[in-house]
Amino acid sequence: MSTDDYDVIVIGAGPVGENVADRAVQGGLTAIIVESELVGGECTYWACMPSKALLRPAQALRAAQHVAGAAEAVTGTLDVGAVLARRNSFTSDWSDAGQVGWLDSAGIALARGHGRLTGVREVTVTAEDGTTRVLRARHAVAVSTGTDAAMPPIAGIHEVSPWTSREATSAQEIPESLAIIGGGVVGVEMATAYAALGATVTMIARHGLLGTMEPFAGERVEATLREAGVDVRTNTDATSARREGSEVRLTLVDGSEVIAQEVLVATGRTPRSADLGLEIVGLTPGEYIRTDDTLRVPGIDWLYAVGDVNGRALLTHQGKYQARAAGDVIAARARGEQVHEADWGRHVATADHATVPQVVFADPEVASVGLTAKAAADAGYRTRVIDQDMSTVAGAGLRQDDYQGQARMVIDTERDVLLGVTFVGPDVADLLHAATFAVVGEVPLARLWHAVPAYPTVSEIWLRLLEAAGRDTA
Ligand SMILES: Cc1cc2nc3c(=O)[nH]c(=O)nc-3n(C[C@H](O)[C@H](O)[C@H](O)COP(=O)(O)OP(=O)(O)OC[C@H]3O[C@@H](n4cnc5c(N)ncnc54)[C@H](O)[C@@H]3O)c2cc1C
């Protein structure tokens, strides 16, 4: 057993932990990161990167198929082997050598093994061979251990060895048929990908699809999934599962059966906090680790929780934003410098509360930021909701012959600023950041009117929305 001292210990080398350590080192501190699997975390190997790599070729093909002239040139189908090979390259064939090299170049030490809190500012790392190493932090320990797929309480589900997002994003063969339990983002994206790659897909969703977003998002995505041949079963649930030979049989609440070669469970996430030694600091293992806006655990001045494991916003970009705040505030506190903890200060993650951007890479794409109309009303805002059909925009028609889409903005009528914006349509992902500027910046609509979208682009939807809001004479 050896003992080492560092200024900061980070448990978990996902995108978030890497950024906490990097910012702390840039702030003049020493840092070590503890990782039990692959440096780069879920996002790099089993989530964002491989899922988007699986989706992109089909999206590119669809785009060409919907532009006359180009469509005639596209006569083949997806090359599944090439799609999977390209996906493999985005995960570096599940090797973290590149990311380990980056840690080195950033001056961050690495300890391979499982990290657990064993005392105040103390983490014990158990390596795969059972050897242990005790790390002590002079200033802070940051927990960035992420989440695992949650298992729903379906009788027999464990016995059928279901896929989680890990198997779905790393499969080297496409099953003939796939049943997906869950109608959230992961379920929708994997249904889109696997249907395009040739599997017969059945979705089982407790409510509608994409339930936390504006209702028209899930409705449009559901319609396209059905057109693509996906059997979408909403307002239902699986009650039991059993494997018979090469098939899984799921029984639904109405007694009907869904039979598929594989079943993917996509029913949410659970924090990786069960085996972290949280009990020694009075926290409950297995729960999300709640923090203040500087990502510090209330009442424990040396402990931070950053990224998915704090449950604030389970998205890589939001976790990395938290990491920048956390790494910087750890360094500022260590050096006795001023902490900027008022809302929107550089040491707080204010944007987590009501201005989170998200893209669902389905067909059509869904891009949203801030509050939905329902969430805004529930939060007590007086709102006005403006909806516009995106097919009326010249730039949209040029982009795709039969462009269909919808946009919504939710206005706070008291302050005349935007609380939320949602776009649903082909290639809307890159429209989102303009909306994020408007929402985060609380830009008054009267001023937004002067942000003129270039002609002929899909961004002209902004003009349609603002005209409809009555700002054309402002
Ligand atoms: C299928 C899927 C697709 C997604 N797509 C997107 C997307 O397109 N865009 C987006 O923004 N978000 C996406 N997400 C969410 C995104 O993956 C997470 O928000 C992100 O990975 C969180 O980063 P993290 O660093 O907090 O945790 P993780 O990436 O989960 O990393 C945590 C790390 O901690 C390590 N670890 C855990 N416990 C210990 C321990 N005790 N000791 C040592 N190491 C430990 C783990 O091995 C892991 O490497 C997706 C999620 C899924 C499931």
Side-chain angles (χ1 to χ4, degrees), residues 123 253 265 351 353 385:
V123 173
V253 278
V265 165
H353 297 302
V385 175

Side-chain angles (χ1 to χ4, degrees), residues 12 15-16 35-36 41-42 47 52 114-115 145-146 272 308 315-317:
V16 177
E35 175 54 53
S36 56
E42 206 72 19
K52 270 77 248 181
H114 184 99
T145 50
R272 280 196 201 107
D308 269 21
L315 290 161
T316 293
H317 47 269

Side-chain angles (χ1 to χ4, degrees), residues 11-17 34-38 40-43 46-48 51-52 113-115 144-147 165 169 186 189 269 272 275-276 306-309 314-317 361:
I11 310 179
V16 177
V34 184
E35 175 54 53
S36 56
E37 292 189 78
L38 295 177
E42 206 72 19
C43 178
W46 300 287
C48 328
S51 62
K52 270 77 248 181
H114 184 99
S144 292
T145 50
T147 55
S165 46
T169 51
V186 173
E189 287 188 347
R269 311 288 301 172
R272 280 196 201 107
D275 189 15
L276 272 180
V306 196
D308 269 21
V309 76
L314 276 62
L315 290 161
T316 293
H317 47 269
F361 293 83

Side-chain angles (χ1 to χ4, degrees), residues 384 386 409 445 449 464-474:
R384 213 173 134 214
I386 306 292
M409 61 186 195
L445 262 68
W449 175 250
R464 297 284 102 79
L465 287 164
L466 291 165
E467 280 170 343
R471 293 289 142 185
D472 46 338
T473 53

Side-chain angles (χ1 to χ4, degrees), residues 282 350 362 391:
T350 310
S391 68

